[in-house]
Amino acid sequence: MKLRWRKFVSATMLTLTGVCAVISVSLLFFILGYLVYHGGRSLSWDFFTKLPAPVGETGGGMANAIVGSGKLLLLASLIGVPIGFLGGIYLAEFGGTSMAFAVRYTADLLNGVPSIVIGIFAYTVAVLPFKHFSTVAGSLALGVMMIPITMRSTEEFLRAVPRTLREGALALGASKTRTIASVVVPAAYRGIMTAVLLALARVAGETAPLLFTSFNNAFWSPGWGQPAASLPVMIFTYAIAPYDDWHRQAWAAGLVLLGLVLLINVISRLALARGISAPRA
Amino acid sequence: MKTVAAWVFCLALAVCACAQTPLLINGAGATFPAPLYSKWFDEYHKGHPNIQINYQPLGSGAGIRQLQAGTVDFGASDLPMSDEQLAESKTKVLHFPTVLGAVVPAYNIPGVSSELKFTPEALAGIFLGTITKWNDPAIAGPNPNIKLPANDIIVIHRSDGSGTTYIWTDYLSKVSGDWKTKVGKGSSVNWPVGLGGKGSEGLSGLVKQTPNCIGYVELTYALQNSIPYGRVRNASGNFVKADLAGVTAAAAATAKDMPKDFRVSITNAPGKTAYPISSFTWLLIPTQFSDSNKRDALKAFIRWMLKDGQKFAEPLSYAKLPKEVIEDESKAVEQIH
Amino acid sequence: MAAATTPVLNASPATGLHSFVRRLRSGDEIAHLVTLCVASAVIVITSLIVYELWLNSSLTRHKFGWHFLFTRVWDPIAEQFGALPFIYGTIVTATVALLIAVPLGIGAAIFLAELAPPTLSDGLTFVIDLLAAVPSVIYGLLGIFILVPLLRQYVEPFLMGALGFLPLFRGPAYGVGFLAAGVILAVMVIPFIISVSREVLLSVPRDQREAALALGATRWETTWKVVVPFARTGILGSIFLALARALGETMAVTMVIGNTPHVSASLLASGYTIAAVIANEFSEATSNMHLNALMELALVLFLLTFTLNGLARIMIVLTSQRGSGTGDA
């Protein structure tokens, strides 16, 4: 009798856990479904090619925001990736010292800093002294956010390269630098690239740090030193407004942004899951 | 390889984007006149393709702040800068009135589509939190033919530093001693009750979506979004609906003796037809520019604004500046060098 | 014998400097130095962030001292600033989020670690990781147009009717407020709880499970009474990580919380969080005191997330060490 009850409890609770899993998984499909439905209806050629219309008028698009986001991300990776990559090499190859421990710990801490605090930092460092909102300031904020992710991923993938590869190179007389540059890094190359893409996808959706760095722009942003429109900021601005036309455009922009982010994530994770290619012996 | 190609593509795009470099002037400030300003800058750009004036409606508070920090070239505000703020600025800042507008009490009451009449006491009480239900006698009194529900009033105000808030609280401070002592006037006050919306857009968005609420917003936003708004009793005792005539009447008294620096408040103005919650809105222009191209472009824009720009105002429900004010401003433009 | 030892003596390493120069020429020392300098950029940047926050909040720190953390009033005109409403809002929304996300998350993690066949488990985890990649502003978008009307029209009136005697569920049904923000945050942190908990559960050694089953426990009893307690520290670590994420969330929260700096017992009331007020008021703080107050809030947030992240990592490391340590019979 007692056993029957215990078995019943067991079956019920385990079914409940299944329900929890189903709910969690269906959240994503729910989000995606809504965005495809609302955003899909509002996507148009205008959306991709036109500049925003004056406040209250219908029409216009987000061409400048799409290009603006592209520029921001490009510069952000130029800032964040080299620092993260070289730093990761340090941690993996020259690690073990207390300095390496401090760097690793600080990188994890930097990863956890809320993005708005990083935005404030970029404002005080890159906007105030130059008296300019700019793409550079926005990219600085995003780049700083990319550093810890890139650094730790690079370290992880470099460590995963088998010792035999390193020792083989060293045995052949290569210096440590040569070994790293010609043997270890190429072996971990694919993993590192996908990690960089994932970091990029993460910062592509960030809005808070851009609010007071790259600001916003109703026109095209010339060069790198002027304010620039970006997709996340436009979504925010349009979503809280009362204009129906702006709401439609916000859905469309949301779909484009989410589509991009998810696409990068799916491709990267699939590539990672298939395993890092190690050179055949 | 593919990533490299993608980056090169983006770089090419970026280079193209900065191939023709028009002069970009950045401004930030009030959301109150944003529909008109964005129309102006769009029209001006069509007529002068090499000049782009990028205006971001962040709120009057942000406009003043960013101008003082030097991160934008000009500001826009519905509240004049205070003496302390002017003293703090590194360069002298001039106020240029652009248009006149009205702040209306906009509401969303299910089942009520007709126009409500508000007394100053009712408005002050609602925003102080002392009047809590829609069918309160203070509101129902002037509206005998409208059936008001017994629902709780949800107050909506601005969460950011706002010139519209300044105009609204300036008016309430003039008509309610309680408000003046308990809350006061300013661009960002310690609201006794209510939800906050960011920008005039955020506030009107909340009003549209929240039943049983009342908020305050510039006339154009209420009209563009079909949000009902009420009449307000003015200093002469008439319930006036916000429109061009009412706003122009409110400015008429001050037009003749406008102070030299154009800083003036016209809330609760005298006059039978005056709408009591009207205001000028100003462009804040520094008198000294390091970039002479920007200075010349802005001066040319102000002259355009005073002549051709004014004709865009009325279709968007802003009132034109009085003639005397336009004349005074045309002279003041020369102070920018 | 002498002939055998002499070559060895001659071939012994030269002095330190000689060896340094030799390593330098081979490029190793340079590589070491270069990567070291670049890596220390992380430390430099983080210190700079703390320094800037500390420096720029000096006015309010000197004026209000510790009272800043306990004062309710946020009045930019009178220049009276208190952080309590924002700290309260941040904590309340995070608590609501955890109350929803933790049972759901741990339940799902148990399912994925213990019950699901490996391919299904990997596939579902893949999907859940994608949920973590959705940008905050998209959550905000969905929050404004779907969650808030839903709460306002159906959920909140129901809660007010059924549980209105509790101070938690009083007040008008705005739609926006602590509850809306809490629900959105819950959806945002579930993936973190699931993925970390699943990993720590998987790292629990098989012997533990088999021993319990051999003693006659049901599947559920094994999981709940043996496996989960073993991984307890790691699961707690995942909760801390989720909490740290929830505390720093800005966009989704500011779009659905109502933006009112008030402390209120009711979950249906509107409130404010530290991150949301900074986002709304930073670009327009018109006085230096106001700006300093916002910077001090940012400092408080930084220290909160700093501490939580630090604790979380220690916990997760402890669990995985325990797992590998006692795995050997």
Side-chain angles (χ1 to χ4, degrees):
Chain A
M1 174 58 196
K2 191 130 192 260
L3 183 62
R4 277 244 306 260
W5 170 248
R6 283 167 55 209
K7 279 192 173 173
F8 171 73
V9 166
S10 178
T12 321
M13 293 309 284
L14 292 175
T15 319
L16 272 181
T17 60
V19 168
C20 292
V22 166
I23 294 179
S24 308
V25 169
S26 50
L27 281 172
L28 182 75
F29 292 113
F30 189 70
I31 293 174
L32 211 50
Y34 250 104
L35 273 172
V36 167
Y37 175 64
H38 282 281
R41 286 189 307 174
S42 326
L43 277 181
S44 64
W45 187 242
D46 274 0
F47 177 80
F48 288 102
T49 51
K50 286 221 178 133
L51 291 176
V55 175
E57 292 187 14
T58 56
M62 290 203 192
N64 59 341
I66 296 176
V67 171
S69 275
K71 283 167 74 172
L72 279 167
L73 290 174
L74 180 63
L75 194 54
S77 20
L78 287 175
I79 297 175
V81 172
I83 299 181
F85 179 64
L86 288 174
I89 291 181
Y90 173 73
L91 287 178
E93 303 298 319
F94 302 104
T97 62
S98 44
M99 178 66 176
F101 177 76
V103 169
R104 197 175 290 126
Y105 192 71
T106 317
D108 282 339
L109 245 46
L110 189 58
N111 201 16
V113 173
S115 56
I116 189 138
V117 175
I118 299 199
I120 295 182
F121 168 70
Y123 177 77
T124 48
V125 163
V127 175
L128 274 187
F130 301 100
K131 307 253 182 219
H132 246 154
F133 291 108
S134 60
T135 312
V136 172
S139 300
L140 178 67
L142 295 181
V144 164
M145 291 178 73
M146 284 182 80
I147 292 177
I149 311 175
T150 316
M151 196 183 274
R152 297 294 261 126
S153 313
T154 308
E155 183 195 355
E156 227 179 86
F157 286 112
L158 286 176
R159 277 186 195 279
V161 173
R163 287 187 66 184
T164 44
L165 250 70
R166 287 175 224 266
E167 289 172 355
L170 288 170
L172 286 169
S175 68
K176 194 153 183 196
T177 322
R178 222 37 234 290
T179 315
I180 300 173
S182 312
V183 176
V184 183
V185 168
Y189 179 70
R190 223 175 66 194
I192 297 178
M193 280 316 292
T194 37
V196 167
L197 279 176
L198 282 174
L200 208 61
R202 156 96 196 270
V203 298
E206 287 292 339
T207 323
L210 296 179
L211 290 175
F212 8 93
T213 46
S214 62
F215 205 44
N216 202 352
N217 199 332
F219 299 99
W220 296 103
S221 173
W224 306 94
Q226 291 292 333
S230 54
L231 273 180
V233 172
M234 290 297 266
I235 296 177
F236 176 61
T237 314
Y238 279 21
I240 58 176
Y243 306 106
D244 284 326
D245 190 56
W246 278 18
H247 291 172
R248 272 198 301 274
Q249 292 197 34
W251 283 112
L255 179 61
V256 170
L257 184 63
L258 186 64
L260 199 68
V261 166
L262 284 185
L263 198 65
I264 296 181
N265 267 279
V266 168
I267 294 178
S268 311
R269 285 172 199 276
L270 281 178
L272 280 179
R274 262 188 290 138
I276 309 156
S277 55
R280 315 240 182 313
Chain B
M1 195 51 225
K2 282 193 204 146
T3 346
V4 173
W7 285 9
V8 168
F9 174 70
C10 282
L11 197 63
L13 258 182
V15 168
C16 292
C18 56
Q20 11 82 293
T21 26
L23 181 65
L24 181 68
I25 304 177
N26 294 304
T31 54
F32 179 96
L36 181 59
Y37 284 7
S38 58
K39 181 81 184 160
W40 272 351
F41 298 129
D42 189 60
E43 288 293 323
Y44 194 72
H45 176 62
K46 285 190 196 144
H48 306 77
N50 58 331
I51 299 191
Q52 287 175 348
I53 308 182
N54 171 30
Y55 178 72
Q56 291 302 324
L58 295 184
S60 305
I64 296 178
R65 178 72 185 174
Q66 298 305 330
L67 182 65
Q68 284 176 319
T71 43
V72 291
D73 301 308
F74 69 92
S77 167
D78 325 311
L79 72 148
M81 286 171 75
S82 67
D83 295 325
E84 296 90 19
Q85 285 169 331
L86 283 171
E88 263 179 22
S89 310
K90 297 193 193 84
T91 46
K92 186 163 165 223
V93 174
L94 290 179
H95 292 70
F96 284 91
T98 50
V99 281
L100 290 156
V103 180
V104 300
Y107 49 85
N108 177 355
I109 312 173
V112 174
S113 50
S114 29
E115 219 170 65
L116 287 178
K117 298 194 174 94
F118 292 102
T119 59
E121 297 77 32
L123 287 176
I126 293 174
F127 280 83
L128 274 172
T130 49
I131 299 180
T132 51
K133 296 221 184 262
W134 276 113
N135 60 349
D136 189 289
I139 310 174
N143 301 290
N145 301 326
I146 304 179
K147 183 154 178 3
L148 290 163
N151 299 331
D152 289 325
I153 304 179
I154 299 181
V155 169
I156 304 194
H157 56 77
R158 292 281 292 271
S159 62
D160 50 328
S162 155
T164 319
T165 300
Y166 179 82
I167 301 168
W168 187 253
T169 51
D170 180 43
Y171 169 72
L172 286 179
S173 299
K174 284 186 184 167
V175 301
S176 163
D178 259 353
W179 182 270
K180 190 165 179 188
T181 40
K182 287 197 190 131
V183 186
K185 70 180 183 198
S187 61
S188 193
V189 300
N190 194 7
W191 296 96
V193 285
L195 299 176
K198 184 163 164 55
S200 299
E201 310 84 17
L203 195 154
S204 10
L206 267 180
V207 168
K208 249 186 124 164
Q209 292 171 347
T210 317
N212 299 309
C213 73
I214 183 170
Y216 57 90
V217 77
E218 207 283 325
L219 175 62
T220 314
Y221 288 92
L223 289 171
Q224 280 181 341
N225 296 289
S226 315
I227 304 178
Y229 57 98
R231 292 175 177 254
V232 182
R233 197 180 67 200
N234 66 6
S236 312
N238 300 325
F239 285 94
V240 183
K241 187 156 182 168
D243 59 11
L244 297 173
V247 172
T248 315
T254 35
K256 303 241 170 21
D257 35 31
M258 174 74 86
K260 269 274 161 18
D261 60 359
F262 300 110
R263 295 189 296 157
V264 70
S265 157
I266 55 173
T267 48
N268 215 25
K272 283 214 307 268
T273 53
Y275 180 70
I277 323 181
S278 314
S279 176
F280 282 102
T281 182
W282 294 265
L283 278 178
L284 305 171
I285 317 272
T287 45
Q288 279 172 334
F289 276 87
S290 47
D291 184 340
S292 58
N293 292 326
K294 287 190 182 175
R295 177 199 66 210
D296 295 335
L298 271 176
K299 281 170 82 166
F301 173 77
I302 295 178
R303 291 196 193 100
W304 176 89
M305 180 269 289
L306 290 170
K307 272 199 7 222
D308 298 322
Q310 293 293 309
K311 57 176 193 276
F312 291 101
E314 295 193 346
L316 282 170
S317 312
Y318 294 92
K320 294 201 272 208
L321 293 172
K323 272 198 336 279
E324 301 87 348
V325 175
I326 294 184
E327 278 166 21
D328 290 336
E329 278 190 65
S330 310
K331 295 190 204 121
V333 177
E334 302 313 317
Q335 290 182 38
I336 308 174
H337 45 221
Chain C
M1 250 186 16
T5 49
T6 345
V8 176
L9 282 170
N10 281 343
S12 68
T15 59
L17 183 61
H18 211 142
S19 142
F20 177 80
V21 170
R22 187 154 40 99
R23 274 180 294 147
L24 198 64
R25 274 206 294 165
S26 71
D28 276 354
E29 205 60 41
I30 294 183
H32 190 167
L33 280 173
V34 165
T35 51
L36 173 63
C37 289
V38 173
S40 44
V42 172
I43 301 186
V44 167
I45 292 177
T46 315
S47 322
L48 208 59
I49 294 179
V50 180
Y51 173 71
E52 289 281 346
L53 288 179
W54 184 258
L55 191 72
N56 286 317
S57 58
S58 51
L59 280 179
T60 40
R61 271 184 298 111
H62 290 139
K63 183 166 177 195
F64 301 109
W66 288 106
H67 284 291
F68 182 73
L69 296 174
F70 304 112
T71 318
R72 270 187 174 199
V73 176
W74 183 265
D75 190 345
I77 296 187
E79 302 221 323
Q80 286 301 314
F81 296 106
L84 191 63
F86 311 105
I87 297 179
Y88 177 77
T90 310
I91 292 179
V92 165
T93 47
T95 311
V96 171
L98 286 182
L99 283 173
I100 300 176
V102 168
L104 265 180
I106 295 186
I110 291 175
F111 178 78
L112 291 173
E114 305 289 308
L115 291 178
T119 15
L120 183 65
S121 179
D122 286 340
L124 291 180
T125 313
F126 184 80
V127 174
I128 289 174
D129 283 340
L130 287 181
L131 200 60
V134 175
S136 175
V137 74
I138 305 257
Y139 279 114
L141 190 64
L142 290 163
I144 293 186
F145 293 123
I146 298 170
L147 182 67
V148 166
L150 194 70
L151 284 177
R152 189 193 315 126
Q153 281 166 0
Y154 302 110
V155 180
E156 289 186 2
F158 168 73
L159 285 172
M160 280 160 63
L163 299 168
F165 56 89
L166 290 171
L168 275 180
F169 298 109
R170 298 244 181 91
Y174 295 118
V176 295
F178 292 119
L179 188 62
V183 170
I184 289 258
L185 282 178
V187 177
M188 295 175 82
V189 303
I190 280 183
F192 293 94
I193 298 184
I194 293 181
S195 81
V196 177
S197 298
R198 174 178 169 267
E199 279 195 34
V200 297
L201 284 172
L202 283 175
S203 77
V204 171
R206 287 188 65 183
D207 321 30
Q208 301 287 323
R209 293 188 187 86
E210 289 174 354
L213 287 170
L215 287 170
T218 58
R219 288 292 294 274
W220 172 250
E221 283 164 357
T222 314
T223 311
W224 192 242
K225 297 197 176 144
V226 177
V227 181
V228 169
F230 194 92
R232 181 178 51 213
T233 330
I235 295 182
L236 202 57
S238 80
I239 298 179
F240 275 39
L241 268 179
L243 183 60
R245 169 89 202 258
L247 292 179
E249 248 328 304
T250 318
M251 303 317 294
V253 171
T254 191
M255 286 156 103
V256 303
I257 197 169
N259 301 331
T260 336
H262 282 169
V263 174
S264 166
S266 168
L267 284 181
L268 305 185
S270 69
Y272 231 150
T273 62
I274 298 179
V277 71
I278 297 176
N280 278 332
E281 297 193 4
F282 189 79
S283 34
E284 64 196 30
T286 40
S287 66
N288 275 329
M289 190 66 74
H290 194 172
L291 197 64
N292 273 261
L294 290 171
M295 291 281 196
E296 195 173 340
L297 277 176
L299 191 61
V300 169
L301 187 62
F302 179 83
L303 290 172
L304 263 175
T305 44
F306 180 109
T307 319
L308 277 170
N309 267 310
L311 283 173
R313 302 223 169 255
I314 297 176
M315 286 176 162
I316 295 176
V317 165
L318 277 180
T319 310
S320 33
Q321 275 180 354
R322 228 175 128 206
S324 51
T326 51
D328 323 318

